[in-house]
Amino acid sequence: MDELGQLNTTRPQLRRAFANPLTAEHIRLRDERSFSASENCTVLSDCDQDGRNSPRYMIIGDQPQGDQQDEVEGLVSRDRWVHRFWLWEFLSLFTATIALAAIVITLTLHKDRPLPEWPPLITLNALIAIFSSVLKACLALPIAEGISQLKWLWFRKIRPLGRMEDWDLASRGPWGALQLILKLKGRDLAVFGALLMLAAIAIDPFAQQIIQYYSCSMVVEGSHASVPFSNNYTDGLTDGTTGLPKIDLQMQSAIYIGLLNPPANTSAALSYTCPTGNCTFPSTEDGATYMTLALGSECADISSKVRYSVSTTNYTKTRNRTVAEIWTKASLADYHISLGNHSTGDASAVMQSSYKFQSQFQSSYLYKVAFLMRAAHPRPPTTRAFECTFYPAVHTYSANITNGVLIERLLDSQRMDVLPGRFSGFTLLRMNATISDGRWQDCKSAANGSEEHSIGIYYTPQNFPLVVAYREGIFYLEDISWWRQPCVYSIGHLATLAIETAVYQFLGNETVLFDAWTGKGEGNLWSVNLWRDGNATLNTVQTAMDGLGYAITARWRQGDGISTNAGPLVGTALKNRTCVRVNWFWIALPASLLLLTTTFLVLTIIRTNLDSGLVWKSSALPMLFIGLDEETRQSAGRVTELDEMKAAAASATVQLRETKDGFRLAYPKQD
């Protein structure tokens, strides 16, 4: 038998041998320049009778025998199962699912929480980046293998040979995938895989957008805040000389501060604690934090009540000349004060004040102060009058401390009943509900006093409420109702009279004189400041009186000398931290790609089973073994350079079909 016949006879055995996994020493690429038909070789296709072919693979050395052959066959069987059932691809998708789950779990554990205190080299972003990289890599494998498998199915029909390289590039990365999309124009399942390959580029930037950071406040364990509030004030003294009520030194200091350096609000005059500078307090559903005593003020422009009178005065000037000057007198009858426009002395009065106590009947204010003032220039001067009413009230606030500043927002204000002094009663207001631990609690009376209902209120025949006891057993009057201490807001009688006396002494009888020589007002500093060179307005007067009210309120709330005080309120100290905000929208792309990649792989498997059942995927061995048929090789001629191969492939048309020698990329059959 000739040499060619021997090769043809042994072809089935060769095909079985080539199915075995061979090491690099079993094959080599031969060139026709170093090969002759006389060489003892076994080739992958028929040898030419002259022994000259284009470069082909040939087997060299011995084939596996005996136990080695059994071992090789076992490996082949195992690899066949892994390969045909796409186990590596499904394992890759399973790993991608775990990576996506790890991202979701990590984000869920840290959502709206402070950044974890990990070692410096490990950050939350780095962890997400690692998981997303694993996800991206695991998605790339089934996509690439699917595109490679579809390549063989595509060539089952008559196709240009040059497209083989396009398919190969598409399975390697985004650039090749884009080229394949443009060339196939959406007419193959492989375009779906190529689109997935392109979309996978965005996994990393999308993953980085999932996490955003913001400043948040976290509770500091073991650290607390406090803010003072009060529901009663009883501190008052009696002057040993005059026998009149007087304020203590702390209240006197508060009034001086209120007159000379008025605080912008009550919060600015309070002493509170917040170790971290940011603190919160328990609040009700409508935002109320606490209720407290307060001194309010309300000023009005009563210039319309000023009455003017005119008189003429004659006096002699130099050179025996007599001059008549017209006097204009402005009076405020309700307060018995007046101002003229001239004085024979060196100075003339430009501001007068007076005071009005509450009536002998129940009222809603403590005292009123009126100011009558005019400018020193021009003539005739403009006279203005203002009346300010001070009243005790119960204010409801929402409160928090931010950056070390107590911020209070007034939600509600209820005026208290002021009882006449001859009844020796209290300034009093009984609430229908009060706040406790961030919840509203109704106020209900009890027939008998107890540790909880410890404040007794008695109504006089004139229906004036009086606080007659702070615990059971002091007074035994009929018709006493007993209330919980937080429900009753009161100011003791002596404290009420002391405040009235103090404000009268500071504001109730003030005079500011204008010195024509110096051009300035003279008098107590707070009165001169209030006059404002004759330019006082309702707004400036109201601001000054508010400052006095804020200072007195702060003293009422502070706690010194206060009996059965309800405050202070204890809150929570917060610390600014960097917290994690999760934008779940950005995880939609990785999750969608995982689902779509799974779909693409399943569709590829189904199409493979419906077509030929050949599962070659991206393996290089099919190309080595099937090769080009003889006719195609001969038409290409002798090619050794890559550009020569591309040129030959561009003009060749092939079809993957089964021949008597197995599958070949061959010229289409001629019908």
Side-chain angles (χ1 to χ4, degrees):
M1 184 180 298
D2 60 11
E3 185 176 327
L4 182 59
Q6 293 176 0
L7 292 176
N8 290 332
T9 301
T10 58
R11 186 178 295 112
Q13 291 82 1
L14 293 177
R15 284 199 293 267
R16 288 195 299 271
F18 280 122
N20 298 331
L22 304 178
T23 60
E25 66 178 353
H26 293 117
I27 61 174
R28 68 175 174 85
L29 180 66
R30 67 176 176 82
D31 195 302
E32 61 181 350
R33 291 168 296 184
S34 60
F35 176 77
S36 65
S38 61
E39 291 184 39
N40 185 16
C41 68
T42 303
V43 296
L44 297 179
S45 64
D46 294 345
C47 296
D48 294 336
Q49 292 184 1
D50 58 1
R52 292 179 297 178
N53 284 319
S54 56
R56 301 299 307 277
Y57 284 96
M58 61 174 291
I59 298 178
I60 61 174
D62 298 330
Q63 299 299 308
Q65 301 294 331
D67 293 340
Q68 186 180 4
Q69 177 68 25
D70 294 338
E71 180 181 355
V72 169
E73 290 179 353
L75 293 174
V76 170
S77 177
R78 183 196 63 186
D79 289 346
R80 181 181 297 113
W81 280 93
V82 171
H83 198 68
R84 290 190 61 85
F85 289 95
W86 303 75
L87 295 184
W88 289 120
E89 289 74 17
F90 281 110
L91 179 61
S92 182
L93 288 176
F94 178 71
T95 306
T97 304
I98 293 177
L100 181 63
I103 293 176
V104 173
I105 293 173
T106 301
L107 295 175
T108 303
L109 292 177
H110 296 91
K111 179 179 179 292
D112 295 326
R113 295 189 178 186
L115 277 176
E117 297 180 357
W118 291 341
L121 296 180
I122 303 177
T123 64
L124 189 59
N125 267 20
L127 194 60
I128 297 300
I130 292 173
F131 291 145
S132 63
S133 297
V134 172
L135 172 64
K136 180 179 178 181
C138 290
L139 291 180
L141 175 62
I143 294 174
E145 293 296 318
I147 293 175
S148 296
Q149 177 62 25
L150 292 172
K151 170 184 64 179
W152 302 112
L153 303 183
W154 191 76
F155 272 100
R156 292 286 285 166
K157 296 182 179 180
I158 301 172
R159 307 293 186 184
L161 180 59
R163 291 292 176 84
M164 180 67 71
E165 187 174 25
D166 296 334
W167 280 86
D168 190 52
L169 290 175
S171 65
R172 297 182 184 180
W175 174 242
L178 178 61
Q179 289 181 311
L180 186 64
I181 293 172
L182 297 177
K183 292 180 179 180
L184 293 183
K185 299 179 181 179
R187 291 174 296 184
D188 195 272
L189 178 59
V191 174
F192 181 26
L195 290 173
L196 294 177
M197 182 75 75
L198 290 176
I201 301 176
I203 289 181
D204 290 335
F206 268 60
Q208 294 304 313
Q209 293 296 325
I210 296 175
I211 295 178
Q212 291 183 349
Y213 300 105
Y214 66 97
S215 179
C216 63
S217 298
M218 303 302 294
V219 175
V220 179
E221 299 295 337
S223 185
H224 302 286
S226 66
V227 60
F229 72 95
S230 176
N231 68 335
N232 74 85
Y233 184 81
T234 59
D235 199 11
L237 304 175
T238 302
D239 191 299
T241 303
T242 63
L244 296 175
K246 70 174 185 177
I247 58 177
D248 59 9
L249 293 178
Q250 291 91 338
M251 180 61 77
Q252 186 174 0
S253 175
I255 292 177
Y256 272 116
I257 292 175
L259 292 172
L260 297 176
N261 186 27
N265 48 55
T266 304
S267 307
L270 282 175
S271 296
Y272 49 87
T273 60
C274 180
T276 61
N278 294 284
C279 301
T280 59
F281 301 92
S283 299
T284 63
E285 293 182 355
D286 54 355
T289 305
Y290 49 79
M291 305 166 70
T292 184
L293 287 176
L295 181 65
S297 64
E298 186 176 47
C299 297
D301 189 330
I302 57 172
S303 300
S304 60
K305 294 184 179 181
V306 176
R307 298 294 178 262
Y308 298 91
S309 59
V310 180
S311 61
T312 303
T313 300
N314 297 322
Y315 63 94
T316 302
K317 298 186 70 175
T318 58
R319 298 181 182 181
N320 297 323
R321 294 176 58 190
T322 300
V323 179
E325 184 168 14
I326 299 176
W327 282 66
T328 301
K329 183 179 181 180
S331 302
L332 194 60
D334 290 348
Y335 287 88
H336 308 290
I337 52 178
S338 62
L339 294 175
N341 66 346
H342 181 267
S343 174
T344 57
D346 293 332
S348 59
V350 291
M351 190 187 86
Q352 287 281 347
S353 69
S354 185
Y355 185 91
K356 182 185 293 185
F357 288 97
Q358 86 276 11
S359 66
Q360 291 299 310
F361 301 97
Q362 186 175 359
S363 65
S364 60
Y365 71 92
L366 284 176
Y367 44 82
K368 295 182 178 181
V369 180
F371 304 97
L372 184 64
M373 58 183 71
R374 67 175 177 83
H377 303 288
R379 290 178 180 272
T382 301
T383 303
R384 302 287 299 274
F386 305 97
E387 181 184 61
C388 295
T389 302
F390 291 87
Y391 57 89
V394 176
H395 284 177
T396 303
Y397 289 102
S398 67
N400 64 79
I401 300 175
T402 304
N403 296 327
V405 178
L406 174 62
I407 300 174
E408 292 182 317
R409 184 166 62 92
L410 181 63
L411 302 179
D412 183 52
S413 178
Q414 300 183 55
R415 290 196 179 190
M416 301 175 67
D417 294 324
V418 180
L419 308 180
R422 63 187 177 93
F423 288 104
S424 299
F426 280 67
T427 299
L428 182 69
L429 181 64
R430 180 185 57 78
M431 307 302 297
N432 294 323
T434 187
I435 302 172
S436 177
D437 295 329
R439 296 187 301 273
W440 286 107
Q441 290 188 352
D442 293 334
C443 292
K444 298 180 180 180
S445 64
N448 299 309
S450 63
E451 184 177 351
E452 181 180 5
H453 293 78
S454 58
I455 298 181
I457 297 179
Y458 170 73
Y459 286 84
T460 69
Q462 294 81 10
N463 201 32
F464 294 152
L466 305 177
V467 175
V468 296
Y470 275 102
R471 64 179 182 274
E472 184 180 7
I474 294 183
F475 291 93
Y476 295 94
L477 300 176
E478 295 181 357
D479 300 327
I480 294 179
S481 59
W482 294 90
W483 300 84
R484 292 188 300 110
Q485 186 265 337
C487 294
V488 180
Y489 289 75
S490 62
I491 304 174
H493 174 64
L494 189 59
T496 300
L497 295 181
I499 288 292
E500 291 176 342
T501 302
V503 175
Y504 167 75
Q505 292 172 347
F506 280 99
L507 294 178
N509 191 25
E510 287 293 290
T511 300
V512 175
L513 302 176
F514 178 75
D515 190 338
W517 294 100
T518 62
K520 296 181 180 180
E522 295 181 348
N524 288 324
L525 182 57
W526 53 85
S527 297
V528 175
N529 291 341
L530 185 65
W531 177 58
R532 297 175 67 88
D533 293 330
N535 297 315
T537 63
L538 177 61
N539 183 58
T540 61
V541 173
Q542 181 68 70
T543 300
M545 297 302 104
D546 282 345
L548 177 60
Y550 295 149
I552 293 176
T553 297
R555 168 63 189 148
W556 283 353
R557 293 175 55 178
Q558 206 59 56
D560 296 338
I562 301 174
S563 61
T564 62
N565 181 28
L569 179 66
V570 177
T572 302
L574 305 175
K575 183 179 180 181
N576 283 334
R577 299 284 300 274
T578 300
C579 286
V580 178
R581 178 182 290 115
V582 177
N583 295 320
W584 294 107
F585 167 80
W586 295 101
I587 206 170
L589 176 69
S592 300
L593 282 178
L594 176 59
L595 178 62
L596 294 176
T597 300
T598 304
T599 303
F600 170 69
L601 181 62
V602 171
L603 292 176
T604 301
I605 295 173
I606 293 174
R607 183 173 172 185
T608 299
N609 292 333
L610 293 177
D611 196 316
S612 64
L614 298 175
V615 183
W616 292 350
K617 294 186 278 190
S618 62
S619 175
L621 294 179
M623 184 61 69
L624 296 176
F625 280 91
I626 65 174
L628 296 174
D629 69 329
E630 186 64 27
E631 185 179 355
T632 304
R633 290 200 307 273
Q634 289 180 355
S635 65
R638 182 178 181 275
V639 291
T640 57
E641 299 295 334
L642 183 60
D643 55 347
E644 295 175 346
M645 297 178 187
K646 288 184 177 180
S651 59
T653 301
V654 297
Q655 179 183 14
L656 180 63
R657 58 187 176 86
E658 190 170 7
T659 68
K660 61 184 179 62
D661 298 318
F663 281 96
R664 291 285 187 273
L665 285 172
Y667 273 114
K669 288 183 178 180
Q670 299 295 330
D671 295 332

